[in-house]
Amino acid sequence: MKFYDYKAAPSPRRARMFIAEKGLEIETIQIDLGARAQFDEAYRAVNPRCTVPALALDDGTVLCDNASIARYLEEIRPEPPLLGRTPVEKALVAEWLSRVEWEGFMGAAEALRNTSEFFKDSAITGPDRYEQIPALAERGRQRAAAFLTVMDQRLGEANYLGGDAFSAADIAGYAFVDFAAWVKLKPGPELTHLANWREAISKRPSAAL
């Protein structure tokens, strides 16, 4: 297998952490998004979506998002389980993965990609060009800020986003909180449950990747 990564970006970081938590060693190829290498013909041939992460399997299949990469790796390396253990836990992990993606990451991404000069012609990831809509930026910041509070409330109910066990939902959530800082959003001191959870995850070796 080959894993296509970019160390500075939050999305492939989720896959890196998942791979590390599974104890897998996979050949890694860096795609320099800062130099727009995702649009080079060589990488387009691997992933026409021009995004990272991507995981090329030995049979030639290429998985092009975190959901499919996690699902595949969970199937080939079931332990430790990161997508849930019981039917209820699996459902909750799926729910919180979706919420982190759409309420958290998408909000922060709206804020970043609709204001940064670097993204002036690529406000949405992928090979097609989309202009920025500045009005979306503040809405995105509000969405991301609100989701930090949602996470704190959830972590007041359970040790982890999916329940009693660390999971892919926590990997995504941890990456989101760090990503939110890119748009000058940091959890306030009143979000103590979020702070304690974040400190605990920061001690995991995968968090340093």
Side-chain angles (χ1 to χ4, degrees), residues 17-29:
M17 289 181 68
F18 196 99
I19 290 167
E21 291 285 343
K22 287 291 185 182
L24 293 165
E25 293 186 6
I26 301 174
E27 179 185 355
T28 298
I29 299 169

Side-chain angles (χ1 to χ4, degrees), residues 104 107-108 111 137-148 176-188 198:
E138 183 55 32
R139 187 187 73 174
R141 289 189 83 260
Q142 291 175 9
R143 291 175 65 201
F147 191 65
L148 291 172
F176 157 65
V177 174
D178 282 356
F179 180 42
W182 292 24
V183 292
K184 298 180 172 57
L185 281 178
K186 294 185 178 181
R198 189 182 183 195

Side-chain angles (χ1 to χ4, degrees), residues 23-68:
L24 293 165
E25 293 186 6
I26 301 174
E27 179 185 355
T28 298
I29 299 169
Q30 293 293 319
I31 303 299
D32 188 350
L33 305 188
R36 301 186 184 275
Q38 72 270 34
F39 301 119
D40 292 348
E41 289 304 316
Y43 188 62
R44 283 178 183 263
V46 174
N47 178 12
R49 294 175 67 190
C50 303
T51 58
V52 290
L55 181 68
L57 309 185
D58 293 338
D59 69 356
T61 301
V62 180
L63 306 176
C64 298
D65 61 44
N66 277 294
S68 58

Side-chain angles (χ1 to χ4, degrees), residues 14-144:
R14 292 168 53 184
R16 281 200 308 276
M17 289 181 68
F18 196 99
I19 290 167
E21 291 285 343
K22 287 291 185 182
L24 293 165
E25 293 186 6
I26 301 174
E27 179 185 355
T28 298
I29 299 169
Q30 293 293 319
I31 303 299
D32 188 350
L33 305 188
R36 301 186 184 275
Q38 72 270 34
F39 301 119
D40 292 348
E41 289 304 316
Y43 188 62
R44 283 178 183 263
V46 174
N47 178 12
R49 294 175 67 190
C50 303
T51 58
V52 290
L55 181 68
L57 309 185
D58 293 338
D59 69 356
T61 301
V62 180
L63 306 176
C64 298
D65 61 44
N66 277 294
S68 58
I69 291 170
R71 182 74 270 170
Y72 178 76
L73 297 180
E74 185 88 342
E75 294 294 331
I76 66 167
R77 182 68 67 89
E79 296 295 331
L82 294 176
L83 295 179
R85 300 166 297 183
T86 67
V88 170
E89 191 173 271
K90 288 177 181 179
L92 286 171
V93 169
E95 178 176 318
W96 281 97
L97 272 169
S98 179
R99 294 194 68 176
V100 171
E101 186 78 35
W102 292 103
E103 299 176 44
F105 266 105
M106 290 300 293
E110 278 187 344
L112 177 67
R113 298 187 76 95
N114 285 290
T115 54
S116 171
E117 180 68 16
F118 184 79
F119 297 112
K120 65 179 180 180
D121 63 346
S122 55
I124 299 176
T125 58
D128 299 319
R129 304 297 84 205
Y130 293 97
E131 294 183 1
Q132 292 174 324
I133 303 175
L136 291 178
E138 183 55 32
R139 187 187 73 174
R141 289 189 83 260
Q142 291 175 9
R143 291 175 65 201

